[in-house]
Structures are given as structure tokens and as C-alpha cells.
């Protein structure tokens, strides 16, 4: 069970990192976040856009983001912004991400410390 | 209860959202949460429509593909639910057993404290006063638990927010009070008596504490789904 939870956390980690990073600049609503991810990744990252909402709700529950509602053209819209906890989480996630990317890159580059073949 | 998608409601894939609503209800999500999610998806749909398709030529299928279907959204919700605390994943357990357990714990505490104050062993009086007293005591004890479970089941069944568990907690509190009085009467050998109908601090704790805990727990449980209040209004 713990393994499953960890793997889910790992899979969930990347979208969370992207969302936190985008919200660092300014508050956004769901569509803006998705659009931001798509444009900044030059369309490389695409996904079923509706799945962003359950993730945002989870982040809200964890107090990583706070919300504000507004009525736009008569319909409700929820804006998300980063909280203090969210900023801390972003820093931690960025650090983790850089460490992992660096480690993977080192392996891909065929760095030293390679185990000898038997 | 059906929710009306805003603005371009007719264009929104009604079947898809009604499927999603039905599945979310099955999974125990509150109406408030479903309402919020559908509204956000509807808003997203409208934005996708206006983004690249001002003349409305983009097919419903394409827009649907971009936003994702019910099963994709449900899959993510299921994945996320693994990360949630157990009360969130098992609302039935939360609402059906938590109040009952709290009631049981506080009544046991009251019995122990009450008896220690009078230097008698716990339960002595209940068991020594015969079958009738025991029956009355235990049936009285079971009554508030039954009421709590019934109202909690209603709360879960109708995806109520915190109001039904609140009612449940209040009924439990009142029942606890009556229970204590009936047990006192049974202990003294009378079904109807008047001498024990006075308040003491322990009884007050037995009434207020379980009710307060249930309210706090159910409010916390439902605060997870709360939709933020509207703070501004503007047109694009």
C-alpha cells in the first residue's frame, strides 16, 4: 500500500511542480494554468485538460494554494494563488527536481563510477 | 439534483457531465464538490471554445478530447483519493462509527469517573440491579448510537455537507443526557424518577464533548470540499 502511495506521489509530483511554478508568477484559473503549461513547454506537454482540477483541489486541501472566486460574464470562476506553504513546497520540489535531473543526466552522459562489467 | 452548467450549457457535453456526476456520487463526493468541479469544467469548456474557435467551428469531439472524458477525470480522482486520509476515503466509516465510538468512549469515561468518585467499581450497579435495570441501561445506551448511525447514514446517502452530521451530533448529545438519566433511574430501581434530574459537570461533559467532537470532525471533513465564496464580479 505504501509503495502504491509513493508511486502515486511521484507521478503526481511533476504536474504539481509545474502548477506551483506557474502560480509563483501570478494567480491563475484552471484554463490559464493549462494554457501556460502548454505554451511554455512549446506544446510538448499536453494532457486531458480537465484532470488539472482534481489536482488543484488536492493542492488546495493541502493548503499549497488558496482560492478566490469571481463571476466572469455571469459564470463562476475560481482563481488559484500560491500560499506560503506552496512557496516552500515549490522550493523543495525544485531542489528535488534539479537533483534528480542532474543524477539522471550524469547517468546518461556515462559518467565516472560506472560499474565494471563482469 | 441536477446542476445547470453556466453560459454555454447547451453546448456542454451533457451526457459526459451527467455520467461524471453519477460516478462522483457513487464514490461519495459531496454535491458541493461535484457542483464546483462541473462549474470549473464548464468554464474551461467555454474558454477552449473562445480560444481558437470564435466562430464555433471546432467540433464538440475535439473540445471533448482536449478537456478529457469522465473516465480520465475519475481515474485522477481515484489516484488522488489514495493520498487522502482514511475518513475522506471512507465517509461511511467516518460518519457511522466515529460518533458511536466517541459516545462509547465518553460514556465509559463517565462511568469510570463517576464510580471512582463514589468509591465503587465500574458497572457494579448496572449488573447488580438485575435484568430489568441492565436491559434498560443497555437499550438506552444503544439508542443514541442507533440514532447516530441512522442520521450519519442519511448524511452519507444524500452527500450532505455538515448539517446532517450536525443534527446527528445534537441528537447524540441529547440522547447521551437522557441515557445518563435513565441509567441513574435504573440504578436506583425506578424507571421514572425525579431525584437524578439535576446537572453535574461529568454529565455536562458527556453531552457537550461528543457533540462538539462530531461537529468539529464533520466540519473538518466537509471543509475539504468547500467552495470559496464569491469575492469579485467582472466582465471580460
Amino acid at each position: 500500500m505504501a509503495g502504491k502511495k509513493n508511486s502515486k506521489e511521484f507521478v503526481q509530483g511533476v504536474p504539481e511542480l509545474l502548477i506551483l511554478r506557474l502560480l509563483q508568477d501570478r494567480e491563475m484559473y484552471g484554463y490559464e494554468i493549462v494554457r501556460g503549461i502548454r505554451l511554455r513547454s512549446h506544446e510538448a506537454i499536453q494532457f486531458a485538460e480537465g484532470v488539472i482540477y482534481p489536482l488543484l483541489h488536492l493542492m488546495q486541501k493541502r493548503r499549497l494554494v488558496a482560492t478566490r472566486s469571481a463571476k466572469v460574464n455571469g459564470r463562476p470562476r475560481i482563481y488559484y494563488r500560491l500560499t506560503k506553504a506552496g512557496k516552500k513546497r515549490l522550493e523543495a520540489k525544485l531542489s528535488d527536481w534539479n537533483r534528480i535531473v542532474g543524477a539522471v543526466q550524469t547517468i546518461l552522459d556515462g559518467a565516472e563510477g560506472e560499474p565494471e562489467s563482469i | 439534483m441536477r446542476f445547470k452548467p453556466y453560459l454555454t450549457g447547451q453546448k456542454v457535453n451533457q451526457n459526459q457531465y451527467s455520467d461524471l456526476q453519477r460516478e462522483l456520487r457513487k464514490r461519495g463526493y459531496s454535491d458541493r464538490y461535484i457542483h464546483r468541479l462541473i462549474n470549473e469544467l464548464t468554464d474551461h469548456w467555454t474558454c477552449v471554445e473562445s480560444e481558437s474557435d470564435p466562430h464555433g467551428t471546432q467540433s464538440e469531439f475535439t473540445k471533448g478530447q482536449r478537456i478529457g472524458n469522465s473516465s480520465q477525470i475519475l481515474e485522477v480522482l481515484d489516484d488522488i483519493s489514495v493520498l487522502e486520509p482514511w475518513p475522506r476515503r471512507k465517509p461511511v466509516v467516518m460518519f457511522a462509527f466515529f460518533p458511536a465510538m466517541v459516545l462509547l468512549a465518553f460514556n465509559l469515561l463517565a462511568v469510570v469517573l463517576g464510580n471512582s468518585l463514589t468509591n465503587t467499581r465500574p458497572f457494579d450497579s448496572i449488573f447488580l440491579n438485575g435484568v430489568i435495570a441492565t436491559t434498560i441501561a443497555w437499550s438506552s445506551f444503544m439508542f443514541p448510537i442507533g440514532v447516530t448511525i441512522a442520521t450519519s447514514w442519511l448524511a452519507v446517502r444524500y452527500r450532505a455537507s455538515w448539517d446532517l452530521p450536525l443534527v446527528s451530533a445534537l441528537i447524540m448529545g441529547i440522547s447521551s443526557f437522557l441515557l445518563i438519566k435513565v441509567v441513574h433511574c435504573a440504578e436506583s430501581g425506578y424507571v421514572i424518577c425525579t431525584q437524578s434530574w439535576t446537572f453535574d459537570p461529568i454529565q455536562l461533559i458527556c453531552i457537550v464533548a461528543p457533540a462538539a467532537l462530531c461537529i468539529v470532525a464533520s466540519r473538518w471533513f466537509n471543509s475539504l470540499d468547500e467552495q470559496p465564496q464569491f469575492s469579485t464580479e467582472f466582465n471580460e
Side-chain angles (χ1 to χ4, degrees):
Chain A
M1 192 67 188
K4 191 180 180 186
K5 187 169 177 171
N6 288 340
S7 70
K8 297 291 181 193
E9 289 262 23
F10 181 76
V11 172
Q12 181 218 336
V14 176
E16 186 185 279
L17 176 61
L18 298 178
I19 293 168
L20 289 171
R21 177 62 189 86
L22 284 171
L23 292 178
Q24 190 184 29
D25 297 339
R26 63 181 175 90
E27 70 167 12
M28 292 180 174
Y29 58 98
Y31 170 78
E32 277 186 310
I33 294 170
V34 171
R35 193 159 180 266
I37 292 172
R38 224 180 51 228
L39 294 178
R40 289 196 198 188
S41 71
H42 303 290
E43 310 278 340
I45 300 177
Q46 291 191 31
F47 51 91
E49 296 177 7
V51 303
I52 197 87
Y53 295 104
L55 288 173
L56 284 167
H57 301 160
L58 178 69
M59 291 167 71
Q60 186 188 357
K61 284 173 197 170
R62 292 176 167 180
R63 316 280 185 209
L64 300 176
V65 297
T67 57
R68 165 181 81 83
S69 281
K71 278 200 171 177
V72 181
N73 294 329
R75 66 177 186 274
R77 177 171 290 167
I78 298 174
Y79 287 85
Y80 296 86
R81 67 176 181 279
L82 215 57
T83 60
K84 275 186 182 175
K87 283 175 189 165
K88 279 185 186 170
R89 175 84 165 176
L90 174 61
E91 284 168 14
K93 284 235 150 209
L94 273 174
S95 164
D96 283 351
W97 177 259
N98 289 330
R99 188 170 48 81
I100 290 168
V101 167
V104 171
Q105 193 60 49
T106 307
I107 293 168
L108 293 179
D109 291 345
E112 55 199 57
E114 194 175 310
E116 288 178 11
S117 57
I118 301 168
Chain B
M1 186 175 173
R2 289 180 66 84
F3 298 112
K4 291 179 184 171
Y6 286 83
L7 202 63
T8 54
Q10 298 81 2
K11 291 184 180 178
V12 172
N13 189 334
Q14 288 280 8
N15 285 334
Q16 179 173 313
Y17 286 169
S18 59
D19 284 352
L20 182 60
Q21 285 176 28
R22 195 167 44 248
E23 286 302 319
L24 288 172
R25 281 203 192 90
K26 269 190 204 169
R27 284 165 165 77
Y29 288 92
S30 69
D31 278 346
R32 194 166 14 185
Y33 180 75
I34 298 170
H35 195 177
R36 173 183 175 172
L37 181 61
I38 298 296
N39 277 344
E40 286 192 295
L41 288 171
T42 307
D43 184 45
H44 196 104
W45 184 282
T46 311
C47 292
V48 169
E49 263 185 336
S50 58
E51 173 197 87
S52 57
D53 189 31
H55 306 295
T57 53
Q58 194 176 19
S59 72
E60 298 291 292
F61 178 74
T62 310
K63 281 179 283 190
Q65 266 196 326
R66 266 190 65 176
I67 295 175
N69 56 33
S70 298
S71 59
Q72 286 172 306
I73 293 168
L74 287 167
E75 195 180 331
V76 171
L77 281 166
D78 288 344
D79 286 351
I80 283 174
S81 72
V82 176
L83 305 172
E84 305 240 52
W86 68 265
R88 188 75 187 83
R89 280 179 278 144
K90 307 281 182 194
V92 176
V93 175
M94 173 74 174
F95 281 117
F97 290 103
F98 178 76
M101 289 299 110
V102 170
L103 180 64
L104 179 66
F106 273 87
N107 276 282
L108 284 175
L109 185 69
V111 169
V112 171
L113 284 176
N115 282 287
S116 64
L117 289 175
T118 55
N119 293 323
T120 58
R121 283 180 295 163
F123 300 114
D124 264 5
S125 51
I126 293 177
F127 288 108
L128 292 176
N129 272 302
V131 177
I132 294 174
T134 308
T135 307
I136 290 171
W138 281 103
S139 60
S140 307
F141 187 70
M142 293 309 290
F143 170 70
I145 294 178
V147 169
T148 304
I149 290 173
T151 49
S152 301
W153 178 81
L154 284 174
V156 174
R157 170 70 182 80
Y158 292 105
R159 313 280 177 262
S161 51
W162 54 273
D163 39 2
L164 263 179
L166 173 66
V167 170
S168 169
L170 287 174
I171 291 173
M172 190 174 71
I174 295 165
S175 304
S176 297
F177 174 73
L178 293 175
L179 156 73
I180 291 163
K181 296 305 175 189
V182 171
V183 170
H184 275 209
C185 292
E187 284 172 352
S188 62
Y190 300 97
V191 175
I192 299 170
C193 57
T194 53
Q195 72 263 27
S196 70
W197 289 86
T198 53
F199 259 113
D200 67 46
I202 291 173
Q203 288 171 358
L204 195 63
I205 290 170
C206 289
I207 295 160
V208 174
L213 269 178
C214 285
I215 291 166
V216 169
S218 56
R219 289 202 72 167
W220 168 77
F221 179 79
N222 282 282
S223 73
L224 302 177
D225 287 341
E226 265 176 20
Q227 188 171 5
Q229 296 298 308
F230 294 111
S231 54
T232 53
E233 183 159 352
F234 57 89
N235 292 320
E236 283 180 332

